[in-house]
Amino acid sequence: GEEAGGWFSLSVVAPPPAMSAPYANAPVSKGIALVTLMASLASISSRHPLSLHLRNPLRALVYQAAFSSASELIVGMYLLFQMRQFERHWGSRRYGSFVALSGALSASLSLSSLSLFQGSSLLRLPSIPPGPYPLIFASLVQYHFDVPVSFPVSVLGLPLSDKTINYALALQLLLSSPPSSAVASLIGVAVGLAYRL
């Protein structure tokens, strides 16, 4: 007799965890994405953005949770999704510490920037835009230094790679509501560089 299964056998192969769930092994990133999505949708629908102002410094605790426009939300969510790889590489505890440190340093630097430029004729900075700009840009610093280029190409003499789309979208976010979005983004870059020290 033939063995069980004979000439025809069916085997089921489970997909790897990264293929089965976008946020597998990244619970902190999943939590950030859910909070950002829900808070942004609430903020956009209520038309009351959580911008950080000196007249309401307690907003420093929550202003990084929600974007104020649908375009910022889409771009920001994509970039947050791309940066989940750090949690998978570092582990949830270290990534959670990075997120907490980024949030705290960014909030204090944002309040300092508002105080510095209050009444300045050089740069009018009435508020810092809401959203996780600092976390995204602090993560992009890590992305720049730690994630190698996989597919380098040259188009019309311009060096491009698989990382180019993330940098282009980050530039769009940086320029979304200048100068305040640029300040929030640069604060994130400063925090990301400080984290590397």
Side-chain angles (χ1 to χ4, degrees):
E2 291 184 32
E3 289 183 359
W7 58 273
F8 177 79
S9 67
L10 177 65
S11 63
V12 178
V13 178
M19 298 290 289
S20 63
Y23 287 99
N25 301 321
V28 174
S29 296
K30 183 178 182 179
I32 291 168
L34 287 172
V35 167
T36 300
L37 179 64
M38 300 309 282
S40 296
L41 291 174
S43 178
I44 292 166
S45 66
S46 72
R47 305 214 189 279
H48 295 289
L50 294 171
S51 299
L52 182 60
H53 304 277
L54 280 178
R55 65 180 179 269
N56 192 355
L58 289 178
R59 282 195 178 180
L61 301 173
V62 296
Y63 84 100
Q64 295 179 52
F67 287 107
S68 61
S69 74
S71 61
E72 291 171 351
L73 175 61
I74 292 166
V75 171
M77 290 297 291
Y78 175 81
L79 291 171
L80 286 171
F81 181 76
Q82 293 297 311
M83 298 305 133
R84 78 194 186 287
Q85 64 187 301
F86 291 110
E87 182 175 3
R88 289 181 176 156
H89 181 70
W90 294 345
S92 295
R93 181 174 290 160
R94 179 176 172 197
Y95 185 70
S97 298
F98 171 75
V99 169
L101 179 69
S102 295
L105 282 175
S106 299
S108 62
L109 287 173
S110 295
L111 286 170
S112 299
S113 297
L114 287 171
S115 296
L116 181 67
F117 292 112
Q118 184 180 24
S120 170
S121 60
L122 179 64
L123 176 67
R124 180 160 157 61
L125 189 65
S127 66
I128 298 291
Y133 284 85
L135 175 61
I136 290 170
F137 282 86
S139 298
L140 278 168
V141 170
Q142 312 317 309
Y143 180 76
H144 175 74
F145 288 110
D146 295 341
V147 176
V149 171
S150 298
F151 304 106
V153 295
S154 179
V155 177
L156 301 174
L158 292 173
L160 303 174
S161 73
D162 54 323
K163 296 170 76 171
T164 303
I165 187 72
N166 291 334
Y167 294 139
L169 289 172
L171 181 62
Q172 180 182 350
L173 203 56
L174 183 141
L175 298 174
S176 62
S177 56
S180 54
S181 59
V183 170
S185 302
L186 292 174
I187 286 170
V189 169
V191 169
L193 289 171
Y195 185 79
R196 296 193 67 81
L197 296 178

